[in-house]
Amino acid sequence: MPDYLKFALLLCLLLGGQSVWASESPAATESHSATVATEQGNSSVIQAFTSREIVESDIVVIEDKTKRLIMFLLAVPLLLLLIATVALGVAMGIYGKQVFLPHMICAGLSLTLALGHAVVGIVWFFPF
């Protein structure tokens, strides 16, 4: 039997089985309603914990000036690593230097700092 006929037969079996799986039996409907009831009970328990007021201590609260200083301290090495990555890339591409490993290390550190910088910026300053 040719491969395209095997594929067509398999496709027909899969598509034909869809109609069997799509119909719900009465047992499936009962288990679905029990699942919905359980989820509603779970959501009321979760709401009891999330409805409390959150009181932040002085340790958690960070001033905007400190946040901006931390963002600056993340940005300076990030900028230096980006410049080093570009310089190593140019040295490899144009001048044929064998600096692939240092280039990749700088690129990995740059990516790590960029992701950290982005996450901290979104968490602290997203709603402005």
Side-chain angles (χ1 to χ4, degrees):
M1 181 183 284
D3 287 338
Y4 67 89
L5 286 178
K6 289 180 185 176
F7 178 72
L9 181 62
L10 179 64
L11 188 62
C12 288
L13 288 174
L14 288 175
L15 292 177
Q18 292 284 334
S19 62
V20 174
W21 293 331
S23 64
E24 287 191 20
S25 64
T29 308
E30 291 173 6
S31 67
H32 177 68
S33 61
T35 304
V36 170
T38 304
E39 288 175 1
Q40 288 174 351
N42 289 342
S43 65
S44 65
V45 170
I46 291 172
Q47 285 176 354
F49 285 104
T50 59
S51 64
R52 296 185 198 175
E53 281 188 37
I54 299 173
V55 179
E56 294 181 354
S57 68
D58 293 335
I59 298 171
V60 176
V61 177
I62 301 172
E63 296 179 15
D64 276 348
K65 185 176 180 180
T66 307
K67 289 179 182 179
R68 293 179 197 280
L69 178 65
I70 292 170
M71 289 292 284
F72 180 77
L73 292 175
L74 283 172
V76 169
L78 174 60
L79 184 61
L80 294 175
L81 278 170
L82 283 174
I83 291 170
T85 303
V86 169
L88 290 169
V90 167
M92 268 192 329
I94 295 177
Y95 301 111
K97 303 287 183 179
Q98 298 297 321
V99 289
F100 180 75
L101 188 60
H103 172 74
M104 292 307 292
I105 290 172
C106 285
L109 291 173
S110 297
L111 179 65
T112 304
L113 267 175
L115 287 174
H117 189 77
V119 167
V120 169
I122 289 171
V123 168
W124 281 346
F125 299 111
F126 177 66
F128 302 110

